[in-house]
């Protein structure tokens, strides 16, 4: 497996932290936010299940721009070999 050199930006990390503390945020948004925050380190990368979730979110009109932004960040740090 190749090393992931991408990390979550400060802007997305801040957005993720706000999402996690928002009682009205969906479970999906919170899952993506937690993944984005865990990827502040270059040693972490998105797993297959989260890749699938993030892809679904980006394709759907049901999610807001905040959730889609988190999904895009998470997906950008996925394993390119998959």
């Amino acid at each position: 497996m190749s090393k992931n050199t991408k990390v979550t930006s400060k802007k997305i990390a801040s957005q993720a932290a706000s999402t996690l503390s928002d009682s009205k945020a969906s479970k999906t948004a919170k899952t993506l936010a937690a993944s984005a925050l865990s990827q502040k380190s270059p040693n972490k990368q998105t797993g297959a299940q989260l890749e699938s979730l993030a892809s679904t979110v980006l394709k759907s009109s049901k999610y807001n721009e905040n959730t889609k932004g988190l999904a895009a960040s998470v997906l950008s740090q996925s394993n390119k070999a998959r």
Side-chain angles (χ1 to χ4, degrees), residues 1-79:
M1 176 167 45
S2 63
K3 182 179 177 190
N4 180 30
T5 58
K6 296 180 183 180
V7 295
T8 302
S9 70
K10 288 181 182 181
K11 178 182 174 185
I12 294 293
S14 176
Q15 181 180 337
S18 293
T19 300
L20 287 172
S21 65
D22 182 356
S23 62
K24 295 179 183 176
S26 69
K27 180 180 177 184
T28 298
K30 288 187 176 195
T31 298
L32 293 167
S35 179
L37 277 178
S38 76
Q39 293 175 25
K40 282 291 289 173
S41 164
N43 298 330
K44 304 280 185 175
Q45 72 180 19
T46 304
Q49 285 184 313
L50 274 172
E51 283 178 21
S52 180
L53 175 63
S55 178
T56 299
V57 166
L58 289 172
K59 292 176 188 175
S60 175
S61 61
K62 134 180 177 177
Y63 296 98
N64 65 29
E65 291 304 310
N66 179 57
T67 304
K68 286 189 175 198
L70 292 168
S73 177
V74 166
L75 201 53
S76 76
Q77 297 177 56
S78 65
N79 181 342

